[in-house]
Amino acid sequence: MSGDHTPSLSDEDEEDGLEVSSPIPSMQGYLSKWTNYLHGWQERWVVLKDGTLSYYKSEFDTAFGCRGSISLAKATIENHEYDECRFDVSVNDCMYYLRAKDCDARQTWVDALEAVKAAESGYGSESSLRKGGSMLSLSSVTSLGKSSTSSFKKTKGLREKLLELETFKDIIGRQIDTLQSYFDACAEVTNGLQLNSIDLNHHDEIFDSSEGLDHDADDEMDELSKTPTPSSLAERVNTKGKVNSTLEALARGIDFRGESITFKATTAGILATLAHCIDIMTKREDYWHRRLEKEIEKRKKAEASAKDAVANARKQAFIGGPDFEEGPHCALNEEEFYDAMEIGLDRQEEQDEIESKRRTCTIDIPEPPLTIKDPPHRMTEEVESKVRENLQIIKENVDENWYLVHEDGDMKVFRREYEEGGIILDPMKATHVIQGVTAREMAHYFFDKDVRMDFDSTIDYFDILERLTDSTLIFHQVLKRIWPSSQRDFVFCSHIQDISPEDEGERLDNEVGYAWLVTNYSVDHPDAPINKFVRVTCNVAMFCQTLIEPREEGQPLTRDHISCRITYSANVNPGGWAPPSVVRALSKREYPKFLRKVTALCQNAYKDKEIAI
């Protein structure tokens, strides 16, 4: 990003009042952008240039025009409160939700956007002028108050009174200078008079003492030489007269009475002007206090209106922003979350019914083999371990920790409530009896990749990543997104196997043939790295047993005499947070619906085929 360096100002630039600033920053790179509630976060090429934020589908589409742009001059840029990689840019009703790859990248983008916004709004741009750093002048205050006549008059009166105080200050200054000059002259005259008085007194003392004493001639000459002569005394007396005349002239030149009257008037004017200034400032303080109270009241009303608007927005039937999708800080409450999920699932069911009616041809289901013996492969031991683990889970009886959440005829669905780290991991076990199909047929139908999209309407698309054997495949499956949940995917190994009576252990009454087991469990695969989807992990098993009802001797075996008892277990980690009550309510609804659908489709697929036990 450019524009990090700010050149220093020279003295000439400072004197001219010009502001030198750095160039407007520009950036470009990939960010995740929230598109809509169907597709969620998508990677987009984002360009910040010339005060505009634009985005493209990829960096190779820049020559064909942007998909959208937003001006940053009046934009609002906010970091998300909980997501450390997300920031939002908005102008009025136009909102861009963006996510960077990490918090440092987000801060880099936000700093650049804020710098561009400051430059585009006129602060710190290259063409702007620097205002002086002086305090608020009276003229500027006057200009601010022109919208109100009363405030304008008060400001003007205060300015006039301040000018009057300046005049009073000049008058008092001149009076002080006059008095100071008079006092200086008095001090000089006083010093001269004191000196003459000392000399005359000393002369008188000398003559008085000489009358009663007998001195030598030399001593008398010395004393006479130290005393002033008559001529010098006369000169000093003349000097004293001149000083007295000077003082009298100064006294006559200064009108002390007039000066005192002027001083009293000046001080009274100062006090009156100060009182008037205080009165003006008090009135202005009351005026601005009332203005402040009105602004505070307006702000409270605006905040209340904003809160009501947000509350009303959250009550809407559909809100497509990323803040309303699943997560611990989801803005939707549990009831709204459940309603949105239920509406989305109902729409999917309607679309599935329409698609099923459009199908005119049936899928040819291949005849399942009698038994399966896989050649060894790289995951043989892992698959065998999962088969033994799921057989143990199937054989376990439900106890007091399991809750019967659904019962419809032969179908019973149990659930055991279990959470880990705030994520619902409720294991589920269901039993069901299907008339007219065998265990072999039911297991192969559930395993068959060609009919997977028929009985599982939640699949968006899937791909076979690796075929270990004909009975062991690795799938990558992406589920349809149902707002407000995030889109999910999972990678799993699917394995089908027949279970001999010895490995099965205790068998049911009227059970015949081999039991069959389909195991689906999560694995990691390099061809399906974790990306924009939420990764689901699971361990699912479907155990099928064939039952034959008693019939008369010699009566041929038909599909009316056979049935399949399935035991279905599932332990799924959805990978992300969702309200526990919502997850449990939806699982209670969806698991029975899934079992009814897959069994009905299996019955329809094999009703006209030969029985394969």
Side-chain angles (χ1 to χ4, degrees), residues 23 70 104 139 167 196 237 241 312-314 344 367-368 396 418 435 464 476 521 539 541 572 574 577:
I70 190 170
D104 293 335
S139 60
T167 303
N196 293 334
V237 170
N312 294 331
R314 291 180 177 178
E367 182 178 351
E396 291 178 355
Y418 177 66
Q435 299 294 329
I464 299 177
H476 178 219
Y521 68 95
N539 184 20
V572 179
W577 183 92

Side-chain angles (χ1 to χ4, degrees), residues 374 377-391 393 446-447 452 465-466 468-469 471-477 489-497 517-525 535-542 568-573:
D374 279 345
H377 52 81
R378 65 181 181 87
M379 297 180 63
T380 298
E381 294 183 1
E382 182 178 342
V383 169
E384 291 177 353
S385 174
K386 280 294 179 181
V387 168
R388 291 191 297 269
E389 177 185 338
N390 284 325
L391 277 176
I393 294 174
F446 181 70
F447 176 77
R452 185 176 297 273
L465 300 180
E466 187 175 354
L468 299 175
T469 63
S471 60
T472 307
L473 307 174
I474 296 180
F475 288 87
H476 178 219
Q477 190 163 289
D489 71 335
F490 60 101
V491 180
F492 63 96
C493 177
S494 183
H495 172 74
I496 184 172
Q497 177 180 332
L517 176 68
V518 179
T519 299
N520 297 337
Y521 68 95
S522 294
V523 295
D524 294 326
H525 199 277
R535 180 59 54 87
V536 176
T537 58
C538 65
N539 184 20
V540 176
M542 177 176 281
Y568 183 81
S569 68
N571 192 351
V572 179
N573 184 343

Side-chain angles (χ1 to χ4, degrees), residues 318-489:
F318 168 74
I319 304 173
D323 291 326
F324 296 90
E325 65 177 346
E326 73 169 88
H329 307 293
C330 179
L332 293 175
N333 57 39
E334 293 188 6
E335 183 177 356
E336 294 169 336
F337 197 103
Y338 178 77
D339 291 341
M341 291 283 292
E342 192 173 28
I343 291 172
L345 291 171
D346 290 340
R347 290 175 180 172
Q348 281 193 3
E349 289 182 4
E350 293 175 0
Q351 294 175 357
D352 292 338
E353 291 178 1
I354 294 174
E355 290 296 328
S356 62
K357 291 178 181 179
R358 291 177 179 176
R359 297 191 185 104
T360 57
C361 60
T362 58
I363 300 175
D364 186 17
I365 304 297
E367 182 178 351
L370 294 177
T371 59
I372 294 179
K373 294 182 180 180
D374 279 345
H377 52 81
R378 65 181 181 87
M379 297 180 63
T380 298
E381 294 183 1
E382 182 178 342
V383 169
E384 291 177 353
S385 174
K386 280 294 179 181
V387 168
R388 291 191 297 269
E389 177 185 338
N390 284 325
L391 277 176
Q392 186 65 30
I393 294 174
I394 293 296
K395 293 177 182 179
E396 291 178 355
N397 295 323
V398 294
D399 54 17
E400 64 275 4
N401 294 325
W402 292 79
Y403 303 93
L404 180 63
V405 296
H406 181 81
E407 184 174 7
D408 182 12
D410 294 326
M411 181 186 295
K412 294 182 179 180
V413 180
F414 300 87
R415 185 185 69 230
R416 180 166 60 88
E417 295 185 357
Y418 177 66
E419 292 186 28
E420 184 176 325
I423 299 177
I424 302 298
L425 302 176
D426 292 356
M428 193 277 297
K429 181 180 287 189
T431 59
H432 188 32
V433 177
I434 311 164
Q435 299 294 329
V437 295
T438 65
R440 178 181 163 195
E441 294 168 342
M442 183 68 229
H444 279 82
Y445 187 84
F446 181 70
F447 176 77
D448 193 349
K449 61 180 178 60
D450 295 328
V451 297
R452 185 176 297 273
M453 298 284 288
D454 294 338
F455 63 78
D456 193 347
S457 60
T458 63
I459 300 175
D460 191 4
Y461 62 90
F462 71 91
D463 187 21
I464 299 177
L465 300 180
E466 187 175 354
R467 183 186 296 271
L468 299 175
T469 63
D470 290 340
S471 60
T472 307
L473 307 174
I474 296 180
F475 288 87
H476 178 219
Q477 190 163 289
V478 178
L479 304 180
K480 294 178 181 178
R481 186 173 189 270
I482 303 174
W483 186 86
S485 66
S486 301
Q487 192 167 15
R488 287 168 161 78
D489 71 335

Side-chain angles (χ1 to χ4, degrees), residues 187-235:
E188 292 177 358
V189 171
T190 302
N191 292 333
L193 289 176
Q194 289 178 353
L195 179 61
N196 293 334
S197 177
I198 292 172
D199 293 340
L200 292 174
N201 291 334
H202 181 65
H203 181 269
D204 292 339
E205 290 176 359
I206 292 173
F207 279 93
D208 291 340
S209 60
S210 62
E211 292 178 357
L213 296 175
D214 187 13
H215 299 285
D216 293 337
D218 294 334
D219 295 335
E220 291 178 359
M221 292 301 295
D222 293 334
E223 292 294 335
L224 289 174
S225 64
K226 294 179 181 178
T227 58
T229 60
S231 61
S232 63
L233 290 175
E235 184 179 354

Side-chain angles (χ1 to χ4, degrees), residues 554-575:
Q555 184 179 2
L557 180 66
T558 64
R559 292 194 176 273
D560 295 333
H561 300 107
I562 63 174
S563 61
C564 175
R565 185 180 189 273
I566 65 172
T567 303
Y568 183 81
S569 68
N571 192 351
V572 179
N573 184 343

Side-chain angles (χ1 to χ4, degrees), residues 241-255:
K242 292 179 181 179
V243 170
N244 292 333
S245 62
T246 301
L247 290 175
E248 290 176 359
L250 287 173
R252 286 194 301 270
I254 299 175
D255 185 7

